PDB file of all heavy atoms in Angstrom:
ATOM      1  N   PRO A  38      54.892 161.667  98.737  1.00  0.00           N
ATOM      2  CA  PRO A  38      55.173 160.197  98.795  1.00  0.00           C
ATOM      3  C   PRO A  38      54.310 159.526  97.700  1.00  0.00           C
ATOM      4  O   PRO A  38      53.404 160.153  97.301  1.00  0.00           O
ATOM      5  CB  PRO A  38      54.708 159.835 100.271  1.00  0.00           C
ATOM      6  CG  PRO A  38      53.633 160.883 100.624  1.00  0.00           C
ATOM      7  CD  PRO A  38      54.259 162.123 100.048  1.00  0.00           C
ATOM      8  N   ALA A  39      54.714 158.265  97.392  1.00  0.00           N
ATOM      9  CA  ALA A  39      53.923 157.520  96.344  1.00  0.00           C
ATOM     10  C   ALA A  39      52.542 157.345  96.774  1.00  0.00           C
ATOM     11  O   ALA A  39      52.127 157.123  97.886  1.00  0.00           O
ATOM     12  CB  ALA A  39      54.554 156.172  96.138  1.00  0.00           C
ATOM     13  N   LEU A  40      51.619 157.658  95.840  1.00  0.00           N
ATOM     14  CA  LEU A  40      50.221 157.583  96.105  1.00  0.00           C
ATOM     15  C   LEU A  40      49.720 156.181  96.258  1.00  0.00           C
ATOM     16  O   LEU A  40      50.165 155.313  95.500  1.00  0.00           O
ATOM     17  CB  LEU A  40      49.490 158.279  94.997  1.00  0.00           C
ATOM     18  CG  LEU A  40      49.774 159.804  94.855  1.00  0.00           C
ATOM     19  CD1 LEU A  40      49.048 160.397  93.686  1.00  0.00           C
ATOM     20  CD2 LEU A  40      49.510 160.631  96.109  1.00  0.00           C
ATOM     21  N   PRO A  41      48.756 155.922  97.020  1.00  0.00           N
ATOM     22  CA  PRO A  41      48.239 154.590  97.373  1.00  0.00           C
ATOM     23  C   PRO A  41      47.778 153.891  95.942  1.00  0.00           C
ATOM     24  O   PRO A  41      47.992 152.770  95.825  1.00  0.00           O
ATOM     25  CB  PRO A  41      47.138 154.788  98.259  1.00  0.00           C
ATOM     26  CG  PRO A  41      47.433 156.070  99.063  1.00  0.00           C
ATOM     27  CD  PRO A  41      48.218 156.939  98.048  1.00  0.00           C
ATOM     28  N   PRO A  42      47.121 154.639  95.009  1.00  0.00           N
ATOM     29  CA  PRO A  42      46.652 153.993  93.795  1.00  0.00           C
ATOM     30  C   PRO A  42      47.807 153.346  93.039  1.00  0.00           C
ATOM     31  O   PRO A  42      47.491 152.260  92.436  1.00  0.00           O
ATOM     32  CB  PRO A  42      46.081 155.143  92.993  1.00  0.00           C
ATOM     33  CG  PRO A  42      45.611 156.145  94.017  1.00  0.00           C
ATOM     34  CD  PRO A  42      46.721 156.113  95.080  1.00  0.00           C
ATOM     35  N   VAL A  43      49.059 153.837  93.141  1.00  0.00           N
ATOM     36  CA  VAL A  43      50.094 153.197  92.420  1.00  0.00           C
ATOM     37  C   VAL A  43      50.396 151.742  92.925  1.00  0.00           C
ATOM     38  O   VAL A  43      50.488 150.778  92.285  1.00  0.00           O
ATOM     39  CB  VAL A  43      51.429 154.073  92.489  1.00  0.00           C
ATOM     40  CG1 VAL A  43      52.557 153.287  91.799  1.00  0.00           C
ATOM     41  CG2 VAL A  43      51.088 155.441  91.792  1.00  0.00           C
ATOM     42  N   LYS A  44      50.398 151.690  94.316  1.00  0.00           N
ATOM     43  CA  LYS A  44      50.592 150.394  94.923  1.00  0.00           C
ATOM     44  C   LYS A  44      49.490 149.416  94.549  1.00  0.00           C
ATOM     45  O   LYS A  44      49.682 148.309  94.360  1.00  0.00           O
ATOM     46  CB  LYS A  44      50.747 150.555  96.463  1.00  0.00           C
ATOM     47  CG  LYS A  44      51.925 151.342  96.893  1.00  0.00           C
ATOM     48  CD  LYS A  44      51.893 151.333  98.475  1.00  0.00           C
ATOM     49  CE  LYS A  44      53.306 152.076  98.891  1.00  0.00           C
ATOM     50  NZ  LYS A  44      53.304 152.151 100.429  1.00  0.00           N
ATOM     51  N   LYS A  45      48.209 149.955  94.553  1.00  0.00           N
ATOM     52  CA  LYS A  45      47.133 149.162  94.198  1.00  0.00           C
ATOM     53  C   LYS A  45      47.203 148.566  92.792  1.00  0.00           C
ATOM     54  O   LYS A  45      46.946 147.363  92.664  1.00  0.00           O
ATOM     55  CB  LYS A  45      45.760 149.983  94.345  1.00  0.00           C
ATOM     56  CG  LYS A  45      44.614 149.191  94.026  1.00  0.00           C
ATOM     57  CD  LYS A  45      43.339 150.002  94.202  1.00  0.00           C
ATOM     58  CE  LYS A  45      42.097 149.293  93.953  1.00  0.00           C
ATOM     59  NZ  LYS A  45      40.880 150.094  94.095  1.00  0.00           N
ATOM     60  N   ASP A  46      47.668 149.480  91.861  1.00  0.00           N
ATOM     61  CA  ASP A  46      47.903 148.992  90.485  1.00  0.00           C
ATOM     62  C   ASP A  46      48.972 147.879  90.407  1.00  0.00           C
ATOM     63  O   ASP A  46      48.845 146.946  89.661  1.00  0.00           O
ATOM     64  CB  ASP A  46      48.304 150.186  89.600  1.00  0.00           C
ATOM     65  CG  ASP A  46      47.089 151.185  89.334  1.00  0.00           C
ATOM     66  OD1 ASP A  46      45.997 150.707  89.681  1.00  0.00           O
ATOM     67  OD2 ASP A  46      47.416 152.296  88.974  1.00  0.00           O
ATOM     68  N   ARG A  47      49.938 148.049  91.258  1.00  0.00           N
ATOM     69  CA  ARG A  47      51.058 146.937  91.214  1.00  0.00           C
ATOM     70  C   ARG A  47      50.553 145.722  91.727  1.00  0.00           C
ATOM     71  O   ARG A  47      50.825 144.595  91.235  1.00  0.00           O
ATOM     72  CB  ARG A  47      52.216 147.433  91.982  1.00  0.00           C
ATOM     73  CG  ARG A  47      52.996 148.612  91.232  1.00  0.00           C
ATOM     74  CD  ARG A  47      54.184 149.070  92.196  1.00  0.00           C
ATOM     75  NE  ARG A  47      54.889 150.135  91.514  1.00  0.00           N
ATOM     76  CZ  ARG A  47      55.870 150.820  92.057  1.00  0.00           C
ATOM     77  NH1 ARG A  47      56.234 150.574  93.237  1.00  0.00           N
ATOM     78  NH2 ARG A  47      56.463 151.739  91.342  1.00  0.00           N
ATOM     79  N   ARG A  48      49.664 145.800  92.771  1.00  0.00           N
ATOM     80  CA  ARG A  48      49.077 144.552  93.265  1.00  0.00           C
ATOM     81  C   ARG A  48      48.250 143.895  92.247  1.00  0.00           C
ATOM     82  O   ARG A  48      48.282 142.753  92.158  1.00  0.00           O
ATOM     83  CB  ARG A  48      48.321 144.805  94.609  1.00  0.00           C
ATOM     84  CG  ARG A  48      49.244 145.201  95.792  1.00  0.00           C
ATOM     85  CD  ARG A  48      48.374 145.080  97.142  1.00  0.00           C
ATOM     86  NE  ARG A  48      47.266 145.917  97.068  1.00  0.00           N
ATOM     87  CZ  ARG A  48      47.188 147.300  97.507  1.00  0.00           C
ATOM     88  NH1 ARG A  48      48.326 147.732  98.057  1.00  0.00           N
ATOM     89  NH2 ARG A  48      46.154 148.025  97.487  1.00  0.00           N
ATOM     90  N   ILE A  49      47.485 144.660  91.570  1.00  0.00           N
ATOM     91  CA  ILE A  49      46.573 144.057  90.498  1.00  0.00           C
ATOM     92  C   ILE A  49      47.394 143.411  89.498  1.00  0.00           C
ATOM     93  O   ILE A  49      47.158 142.351  89.009  1.00  0.00           O
ATOM     94  CB  ILE A  49      45.678 145.155  89.948  1.00  0.00           C
ATOM     95  CG1 ILE A  49      44.693 145.593  91.038  1.00  0.00           C
ATOM     96  CG2 ILE A  49      44.890 144.678  88.682  1.00  0.00           C
ATOM     97  CD1 ILE A  49      43.825 146.838  90.589  1.00  0.00           C
ATOM     98  N   LEU A  50      48.534 144.101  89.072  1.00  0.00           N
ATOM     99  CA  LEU A  50      49.396 143.572  87.985  1.00  0.00           C
ATOM    100  C   LEU A  50      49.995 142.208  88.398  1.00  0.00           C
ATOM    101  O   LEU A  50      50.028 141.236  87.745  1.00  0.00           O
ATOM    102  CB  LEU A  50      50.453 144.582  87.670  1.00  0.00           C
ATOM    103  CG  LEU A  50      51.517 144.127  86.621  1.00  0.00           C
ATOM    104  CD1 LEU A  50      50.774 143.808  85.347  1.00  0.00           C
ATOM    105  CD2 LEU A  50      52.585 145.123  86.489  1.00  0.00           C
ATOM    106  N   ARG A  51      50.463 142.165  89.754  1.00  0.00           N
ATOM    107  CA  ARG A  51      50.961 140.936  90.212  1.00  0.00           C
ATOM    108  C   ARG A  51      49.970 139.820  90.216  1.00  0.00           C
ATOM    109  O   ARG A  51      50.328 138.677  89.827  1.00  0.00           O
ATOM    110  CB  ARG A  51      51.672 141.159  91.598  1.00  0.00           C
ATOM    111  CG  ARG A  51      53.039 141.949  91.523  1.00  0.00           C
ATOM    112  CD  ARG A  51      53.734 141.775  92.845  1.00  0.00           C
ATOM    113  NE  ARG A  51      52.948 142.346  93.978  1.00  0.00           N
ATOM    114  CZ  ARG A  51      53.100 143.655  94.452  1.00  0.00           C
ATOM    115  NH1 ARG A  51      53.991 144.381  93.823  1.00  0.00           N
ATOM    116  NH2 ARG A  51      52.409 144.059  95.495  1.00  0.00           N
ATOM    117  N   ALA A  52      48.811 140.189  90.693  1.00  0.00           N
ATOM    118  CA  ALA A  52      47.745 139.184  90.755  1.00  0.00           C
ATOM    119  C   ALA A  52      47.435 138.651  89.325  1.00  0.00           C
ATOM    120  O   ALA A  52      47.214 137.465  89.113  1.00  0.00           O
ATOM    121  CB  ALA A  52      46.510 139.751  91.356  1.00  0.00           C
TER     122      ALA A  52
END
Side-chain angles (χ1 to χ4, degrees):
L40 297 177
V43 175
K44 292 184 178 180
K45 182 178 180 182
D46 290 343
R47 289 177 179 173
R48 288 197 302 270
I49 293 174
L50 178 60
R51 286 196 295 269

